[in-house]
Amino acid sequence: MFQAVPAEGPLDLFIQEHQMDYRRMTKEELKDEKKRLEKQYRDYQALGLKLDISRGKPCREQLDLSMGMLDVLDSDMEYLSENGLDTRNYGALTGLPETKRLMAHVMETQPENVIIFCDSSLNIMFDLVSKSWSHGVMGHTPWYRLPEVKFLCPVPGYDRHFAITEYFGIQMVNIPMKEDGPDMDLVRQYVENDESVKGIWCVPKYSNPTGTVYSDETVERFARLKPAAPDFRIYWDNAYNVHHLDFEHIRVIPELLELCRENGHPDMVYKFGSFSKISFSGSSIAALATSEENIADVVKTMGIQTIGHNKINQLLHTRFFKNAEGVMEHMKKHAAILKPKFDLVQKSLEEGLGGQSLATWSKPEGGYFVSFNTMPGCAKRVVALVKGAGVVMTGAGATYPYGKDEEDSNIRIAPTFASLSELEKALEIFCVCVKLASVEKFLNEG
Ligand code: PMP
């Protein structure tokens, strides 16, 4: 049973001891609590802070890990790839053989299934959707000529995926994300019965933002899909495949390209990989891994777009990382920087909000985000409140297509960029704002 709050005194201690339950408070008690939280909030505002936990950017220490890459080449060296190609010149449209081998390891596939692009996997995704829209997939009707084109969007998901499909006017259909991946009954129902469904956005490991790792069964069910549309493709964005937080317990999922082949649909998946969060974000290498037929289809367009991608950067990456083991050793160093930040998020949320049934949040084992759910109707208010106290977070609703979270509940926390002390402060403020928004909700609902 809730006990009366002392008018003055060590309230934080009181709360810790008595775990306030807003649901059982009287209106007067809630009003007192609101006053107390507002006072705390004003104190934070007075600090004039400027903190940012909005985007999944690596921090400086993480970027420093790759500085050695800039020393693997100098002007006295030969810039030849292993097949003797002068990387300073045109050629090797689909990438250097050694870079394809390195990327194939990271993407758990074969070098012949890989095309190396420039520095952004998102760019590859955009180009694929754009080409499908204007010219069609493998000789099928260009999407712009169809009365309706749909993409399935597991939610909450990655805002920049949704931005691409929204840009082309593709209708986005929400698919609830479960513990083991998207709701596959619903995915199957849409994909197998609706010819206008041309794609699905997936981040299969350490998903953005939920941290979900698709179960073996989920991946196998993807491979067994029998799409109504022959040009349906799974956009398998495995951006966080090697981004484990705990290398003692790394997660492995089945490899979808091979599974699709075994199930008689070799062309059903486009896999994406990127070194953006391995080396330098936005200045690394990215890749597509897919079937031979899809590669031939993509190369036709690519050969018109470019004479070749940046091979000097491919050489830098290959000489620096060398092989799969090199990447893994490097990722352990990332984890050493990131794990304390993710642990701090859990500790801060648990201390600030634990046991109060005001929110739930994910406990990811890798990737870049923590997904946080307020009580329905509070997310926008929380993000506005934290902003008012100098903390920038991803806009509420951003994790849903069209920015519309019907529940107004999901908030993405991106803990990587801030320092530990900044993060601690930001989360302290965040917890107070969640409580304040919750108290307001209880009071408004009478
Ligand atoms: N996919 C996902 C799921 C991401 O979270 C991000 C970066 N936040 C990207 C792609 C972007 O990758 P790139 O820099 O290779 O475009």
Side-chain angles (χ1 to χ4, degrees):
M1 186 64 186
F2 174 70
Q3 298 180 21
V5 185
E8 300 271 312
L11 278 168
D12 289 334
L13 197 67
F14 177 86
I15 291 161
Q16 276 166 25
E17 280 171 6
H18 300 280
Q19 283 300 2
M20 277 193 188
D21 183 349
Y22 293 162
R23 285 173 185 77
R24 301 170 84 173
M25 282 187 187
T26 64
K27 201 155 194 164
E28 287 317 304
E29 287 164 348
L30 280 170
K31 280 184 185 161
D32 283 348
E33 172 68 352
K34 182 163 175 270
K35 264 190 218 145
R36 187 185 74 81
L37 291 166
E38 282 169 344
K39 156 93 176 64
Q40 260 182 306
Y41 182 72
R42 281 193 302 275
D43 291 346
Y44 289 133
Q45 282 184 312
L47 297 175
L49 297 169
K50 266 195 174 153
L51 304 170
D52 189 340
I53 51 169
S54 65
R55 301 295 328 171
K57 291 199 289 192
C59 63
R60 193 193 159 113
E61 293 75 20
Q62 287 179 271
L63 299 173
D64 286 345
L65 295 174
S66 298
M67 286 308 283
M69 194 163 71
L70 303 179
D71 299 329
V72 297
L73 294 176
D74 69 45
S75 58
D76 296 332
M77 282 180 180
E78 292 285 8
Y79 276 58
L80 303 181
S81 79
E82 67 179 24
N83 62 358
L85 184 101
D86 189 336
T87 60
R88 298 167 306 171
N89 214 331
Y90 285 136
L93 179 63
T94 60
L96 303 178
E98 57 264 56
T99 315
K100 284 191 195 182
R101 213 162 48 235
L102 177 71
M103 195 55 111
H105 278 304
V106 172
M107 296 177 80
E108 296 159 346
T109 186
Q110 305 308 314
E112 57 272 23
N113 293 105
V114 172
I115 303 177
I116 309 289
F117 287 74
C118 269
D119 39 40
S120 162
S121 59
L122 206 63
N123 199 172
I124 312 173
M125 296 173 223
F126 183 95
D127 275 356
L128 279 171
V129 173
S130 175
K131 178 198 163 278
S132 308
W133 186 263
S134 60
H135 286 72
V137 179
M138 268 190 204
H140 293 286
T141 310
W143 295 351
Y144 83 90
R145 291 225 208 112
L146 301 174
E148 192 176 47
V149 176
K150 296 196 193 95
F151 251 63
L152 306 183
C153 301
V155 289
Y158 180 33
D159 54 353
R160 291 186 192 270
H161 284 162
F162 304 153
I164 294 176
T165 26
E166 184 172 2
Y167 180 78
F168 286 94
I170 292 170
Q171 192 188 322
M172 292 182 276
V173 178
N174 290 3
I175 302 288
M177 184 72 109
K178 298 163 66 169
E179 288 279 295
D180 58 353
D183 179 338
M184 288 309 291
D185 290 336
L186 200 55
V187 168
R188 189 168 159 223
Q189 200 178 309
Y190 269 107
V191 173
E192 300 198 348
N193 297 298
D194 186 344
E195 216 187 329
S196 71
V197 173
K198 301 296 187 188
I200 178 167
W201 291 118
C202 292
V203 184
K205 204 197 273 188
Y206 309 135
S207 210
N208 179 350
T210 56
T212 310
V213 179
Y214 291 13
S215 69
D216 290 8
E217 199 202 332
T218 297
V219 181
E220 281 153 17
R221 288 189 71 183
F222 265 108
R224 288 200 299 269
L225 287 173
K226 296 186 182 66
D231 51 350
F232 167 82
R233 296 290 182 270
I234 302 165
Y235 282 62
W236 198 251
D237 179 3
N238 210 353
Y240 299 109
N241 193 29
V242 292
H243 301 62
H244 319 287
L245 286 172
D246 178 359
F247 273 78
E248 299 291 309
H249 302 99
I250 64 170
R251 302 290 298 268
V252 178
I253 61 169
E255 199 285 297
L256 186 60
L257 184 52
E258 187 53 37
L259 277 183
C260 286
R261 194 172 284 146
E262 283 168 17
N263 281 274
H265 300 287
D267 305 326
M268 193 166 60
V269 57
Y270 294 139
K271 286 181 37 159
F272 304 94
S274 171
F275 269 60
S276 257
K277 284 157 183 180
I278 297 176
S279 59
F280 299 133
S281 298
S283 303
S284 69
I285 48 172
L288 170 71
T290 191
S291 68
E292 290 76 3
E293 299 276 308
N294 278 335
I295 289 204
D297 188 46
V298 169
V299 163
K300 265 192 258 162
T301 311
M302 220 172 89
I304 295 166
Q305 282 182 302
T306 179
I307 310 175
H309 297 299
N310 181 343
K311 293 183 300 298
I312 293 179
N313 203 14
Q314 292 180 29
L315 203 62
L316 281 174
H317 276 78
T318 320
R319 291 201 182 158
F320 181 64
F321 288 105
K322 295 189 177 64
N323 50 34
E325 290 70 41
V327 174
M328 282 306 152
E329 284 314 307
H330 190 80
M331 293 315 291
K332 285 183 190 166
K333 296 179 195 160
H334 278 284
I337 297 169
L338 293 183
K339 177 105 182 8
K341 295 189 180 182
F342 279 81
D343 288 347
L344 177 63
V345 175
Q346 296 301 325
K347 183 171 165 279
S348 302
L349 295 179
E350 198 48 54
E351 281 175 9
L353 299 165
Q356 296 175 64
S357 307
L358 299 180
T360 57
W361 55 89
S362 62
K363 194 165 189 233
E365 294 168 65
Y368 263 57
F369 304 100
V370 173
S371 180
F372 185 94
N373 287 311
T374 63
M375 290 193 298
C378 290
K380 279 203 178 81
R381 177 68 180 144
V382 170
V383 172
L385 279 169
V386 291
K387 191 172 174 204
V391 181
V392 181
M393 299 189 76
T394 314
T399 50
Y400 283 74
Y402 312 106
K404 269 194 213 143
D405 172 4
E406 297 296 344
E407 292 269 288
D408 184 25
S409 162
N410 189 251
I411 298 174
R412 187 179 79 164
I413 301 174
T416 57
F417 186 70
S419 68
L420 277 168
S421 59
E422 287 169 342
L423 188 59
E424 189 170 25
K425 198 76 202 163
L427 289 164
E428 192 185 308
I429 296 170
F430 176 72
C431 289
V432 168
C433 293
V434 171
K435 286 197 249 180
L436 185 50
S438 306
V439 169
E440 287 172 355
K441 179 182 160 86
F442 283 121
L443 279 170
N444 288 340
E445 288 177 357

